[in-house]
Amino acid sequence: MLLLFVVAVVAGCAQAPVVVVGAGVSGLSAAKALTNAGHEVVVIEARDRIGGRTFTKDIAGAAVDLGGAWIHGPIENPVAEYCTAQGIRYVPDLTPMGTVYDAEIGGPLPPAELRQLLLAFSMFQEAIPALAEKLGKRASAGAALERFVADRKLEGRARRLADFAVQQMLLELYDSGPPNSISLESYDTYEELAGGNQLIEGGYRSLVTSLAEDLDIRLSRPVVAVAHDESGVTVRTRDGEELRGSHAVVTVPLGVLKAESIEFDPPLPEGKREAIARLDTANLEKVVLRFEERFWAGSGTAFNYIAETPGEFPWFADFSTHAGAPTLVVLYGGASARRIIDT
């Protein structure tokens, strides 16, 4: 999650630039909009590259997005609209679901168990309103899963399949959060845009490069302080460099704000500090495997894996066509991702 806010609205600094902190998509978008409106803008980025959590990398001839990769529904989607306006092509991701493998049986699920898994997936989603009413407003999606399993008296293989369908496929991959940290009340508020998932040709760097065109971007400059008063804004970097501006637009990740890596003077309003303290970020991690030859069956197909350790690499997809070389992309998220990262 990126938090974007503006500090200082100063009438007397018309000639000073607007300083945008962060060169991810949010920061670049803000800088582009301000530049198009006639403002002078300077963008400061802590990393040695632009794009934030979008990062297209060439891996032995395969162009792969190591961060964000999809446009989730192009209809009335500002990202898709920008791509269209800039002549950046995107194509439908038609990756079908393939085989579900289970380490417990050492192979693919039999058809009857696959149907059982898919049924648990859909039944849980349908049961969410009733579960929310039973468990109350402060219930988590994890508590809802436990109630769902208990109500249906699922045990053994049936419980294993339901856990994978709901916890890994739905909550930890689609929503990326540990189930016990996902609000059941808010779970169903996500608005899914129409048109299906899309992949940007050449990766997200096509969009990022377009946003960055003609901007004054200064890399490897971590910001440690933002101060403002009636005369304007001062942004100070770790190496002591200071930039004066009329305004500062801060687009750093939530984790940076929670760590208080940037000192604000005066401090941020109490409401913003409370929101920063309450909010959390989910985890969705990606592993990219580039091979010399494609040795797997099912071209362009996604595969699921029910591991011995819950949540260990539950989703594989063949990205060979999109990447231009034999490539598998693996996703894992939520509590499973946090556990793996911690170890």
Side-chain angles (χ1 to χ4, degrees):
M1 174 180 289
L2 295 176
L3 297 185
L4 185 152
F5 51 89
V6 181
V7 294
V9 180
V10 183
C13 294
Q15 302 305 312
V18 177
V19 181
V20 175
V21 182
V25 172
S26 291
L28 294 175
S29 298
K32 177 68 75 175
L34 287 164
T35 300
N36 290 343
H39 297 278
E40 181 184 352
V41 180
V42 175
V43 182
I44 305 177
E45 168 58 43
R47 304 188 196 196
D48 61 359
R49 62 172 181 83
I50 63 174
R53 284 176 292 167
T54 65
F55 182 29
T56 309
K57 186 175 179 61
D58 290 308
I59 304 175
V64 185
D65 279 313
L66 300 185
W70 287 274
I71 299 175
H72 294 297
I75 308 303
E76 298 184 358
N77 186 322
V79 176
E81 290 171 357
Y82 179 84
C83 287
T84 299
Q86 299 300 313
I88 300 169
R89 286 176 49 82
Y90 54 84
V91 296
D93 177 15
L94 302 176
T95 305
M97 180 178 174
T99 304
V100 178
Y101 295 92
D102 187 351
E104 191 172 85
I105 62 176
L109 290 181
E113 288 198 337
L114 178 59
R115 288 193 295 271
Q116 191 175 352
L117 183 150
L118 296 175
L119 185 61
F121 184 94
S122 60
M123 287 179 63
F124 178 80
Q125 291 178 295
E126 293 171 1
I128 286 174
L131 289 167
E133 186 174 346
K134 289 179 183 178
L135 298 172
K137 290 185 176 182
R138 299 188 65 84
S140 69
L145 171 58
E146 291 303 317
R147 183 61 178 266
F148 175 82
V149 167
D151 286 348
R152 286 154 183 80
K153 298 180 173 56
L154 301 178
E155 298 178 347
R157 292 287 300 166
R159 171 68 192 255
R160 178 177 175 81
L161 297 175
D163 278 345
F164 182 80
V166 177
Q167 183 161 323
Q168 269 72 61
M169 291 177 65
L170 186 61
L171 301 177
E172 294 198 343
L173 286 179
Y174 284 13
D175 299 290
S176 309
N180 290 334
S181 298
I182 297 175
S183 164
L184 184 61
E185 181 186 21
S186 302
Y187 178 80
D188 228 11
T189 61
Y190 177 79
E191 182 180 352
E192 187 168 341
L193 299 177
N197 291 333
Q198 311 287 317
L199 292 166
I200 298 177
E201 289 191 347
Y204 252 91
R205 67 180 165 198
S206 302
L207 180 147
V208 169
T209 300
S210 174
L211 287 172
E213 187 175 1
D214 298 327
L215 294 179
D216 180 357
I217 302 173
R218 305 176 189 183
L219 302 176
S220 302
R221 287 172 166 83
V223 169
V224 295
V226 177
H228 68 94
D229 55 28
E230 65 278 359
S231 66
V233 177
T234 301
V235 177
R236 179 162 52 86
T237 66
R238 186 180 296 165
D239 61 8
E241 179 184 6
E242 290 190 350
L243 291 91
R244 290 287 296 166
S246 63
H247 305 70
V249 181
V250 181
T251 69
V252 298
L254 175 62
V256 173
L257 297 174
K258 290 179 80 71
E260 299 183 345
S261 300
I262 299 176
E263 178 184 356
F264 291 94
D265 182 20
L268 294 176
E270 183 178 356
K272 279 193 169 62
R273 297 199 305 271
E274 289 178 351
I276 290 167
R278 288 197 310 269
L279 286 168
D280 196 2
T281 52
N283 292 78
L284 184 61
E285 307 299 329
K286 179 182 292 186
V287 176
V288 176
L289 305 172
R290 164 73 166 89
F291 298 92
E292 291 186 1
E293 296 181 359
R294 187 175 165 280
F295 60 85
W296 55 90
S299 176
T301 299
F303 309 89
N304 289 105
Y305 177 59
I306 310 175
E308 292 181 2
T309 302
E312 188 176 72
F313 308 126
W315 189 85
F316 291 72
D318 179 7
F319 263 59
S320 303
T321 300
H322 183 66
T327 305
L328 291 177
V329 171
V330 187
L331 294 181
Y332 60 102
S336 308
R338 292 185 178 185
R339 183 182 65 249
I340 292 172
I341 291 170
D342 287 344
T343 56

